[in-house]
Amino acid sequence: MRKRISKIENHVQDRNSVAWKKLCEYVDKVADENLDEFSPLEELGLELFSQIHTLPETISKLKKVKKVWLYGSKLKCIPPEIGEMEALEYFDPYTSYNLNWFPYEITKCKNLKDSRVSTRILYGNYKNRMGFPNLVHNPVRYFGDTLNCSICTKTMTYEQTNQLWISLKVGTDILPLLTNLCSKECESKLPIPPKDYLQFAHKGSADLIQPLDEDELFRNEAL
């Protein structure tokens, strides 16, 4: 059974909006005051927060933040700069139903031990094995003309990068992660995914054969 595949949307954020400017100001405030929690809904209010579909790249400045609250957001992606939030311990994007995947760089948050994610909407999750979008025909584009290798941080253009999906445990959840790789050497350094998930990094596509989901396993056991 082939699972539904959502098309990757790029450049989803209006960066000239009041909501975006307020969010950027809030990031600066949290960084300047060395706050240990980041809760944009509380700061912006529901009307403005509902207009936020990604986070500013300046979240890299949030070196002291331990908890991130994104409950009920309309986020569609998170920038790789989240990997620079070195103090992050708890990550909560629960009921962010448009957030189907995460950047590989979140694995660099070595203190991140606890998370709360709506797993049924994640690409490849064991509950329903939602399909992974094909990165060959629908590559992911972050803000800007260049990006860094997810492994060695080498700066490269989008034409130079090799984008692959991989499922890995982050916090308390197994998340579908997007990697941007500069070489086969960096690809070889990717971790091995957990049992019952695809054991290799891949490009996605409707033809990708994933392990059985929990309903399919249940039906098989009932036969």
Side-chain angles (χ1 to χ4, degrees):
M1 178 178 177
R2 293 184 180 178
K3 303 301 182 181
R4 170 174 75 87
I5 294 185
S6 304
K7 188 177 186 297
I8 292 290
E9 294 184 74
N10 291 309
H11 309 303
V12 293
Q13 184 64 52
D14 178 1
R15 291 175 178 249
N16 294 312
S17 68
V18 171
W20 180 255
K21 293 175 181 177
K22 291 286 187 182
L23 178 59
C24 291
E25 290 172 1
Y26 175 54
V27 170
D28 290 342
K29 172 185 173 183
V30 173
D32 292 343
E33 298 181 10
N34 289 320
L35 302 181
D36 63 2
E37 295 198 19
F38 180 68
S39 181
L41 171 58
E42 183 177 341
E43 179 74 13
L44 273 65
L46 182 58
E47 181 179 355
L48 291 180
F49 186 53
S50 65
Q51 299 172 40
I52 299 301
H53 304 300
T54 188
L55 296 178
E57 292 72 28
T58 51
I59 58 172
S60 61
K61 299 190 298 183
L62 304 182
K63 304 299 186 184
K64 302 295 184 181
V65 167
K66 295 181 179 181
K67 295 182 179 181
V68 168
W69 304 96
L70 299 170
Y71 182 93
S73 79
K74 301 297 182 183
L75 288 171
K76 296 183 179 181
C77 68
I78 290 176
E81 284 78 5
I82 193 172
E84 298 179 51
M85 295 177 64
E86 54 197 34
L88 185 60
E89 297 177 357
Y90 179 70
F91 179 63
D92 185 354
Y94 194 62
T95 69
S96 296
Y97 294 126
N98 296 315
L99 197 54
N100 308 120
W101 61 276
F102 299 84
Y104 177 85
E105 286 75 4
I106 197 172
T107 64
K108 298 181 180 181
C109 298
K110 299 305 181 183
N111 292 312
L112 179 52
K113 305 300 182 185
D114 195 9
S115 59
R116 190 170 68 140
V117 179
S118 296
T119 53
R120 283 191 177 275
I121 53 90
L122 299 179
Y123 301 146
N125 185 260
Y126 76 95
K127 295 177 181 178
N128 58 19
R129 301 299 184 192
M130 185 189 292
F132 287 84
N134 190 331
L135 292 170
V136 174
H137 303 297
N138 185 202
V140 174
R141 293 290 184 263
Y142 293 115
F143 184 70
D145 297 326
T146 62
L147 70 169
N148 296 325
C149 176
S150 298
I151 301 299
C152 72
T153 71
K154 175 184 176 181
T155 300
M156 55 190 170
T157 66
Y158 283 97
E159 289 68 32
Q160 294 170 320
T161 186
N162 179 29
Q163 290 188 334
L164 298 173
W165 298 114
I166 190 169
S167 297
L168 297 172
K169 187 173 182 181
V170 177
T172 49
D173 300 289
I174 296 174
L175 305 181
L177 306 175
L178 177 75
T179 66
N180 288 284
L181 304 168
C182 69
S183 64
K184 282 292 184 181
E185 180 182 358
C186 283
E187 181 179 346
S188 70
K189 294 179 181 178
L190 291 172
I192 297 175
K195 181 184 176 183
D196 297 327
Y197 283 79
L198 289 173
Q199 295 294 289
F200 52 88
H202 56 86
K203 288 286 189 182
S205 86
D207 297 323
L208 183 70
I209 299 176
Q210 299 190 59
L212 299 179
D213 65 33
E214 64 176 4
D215 289 336
E216 291 168 334
L217 286 171
F218 178 79
R219 288 196 295 270
N220 284 354
E221 291 173 356
L223 293 177

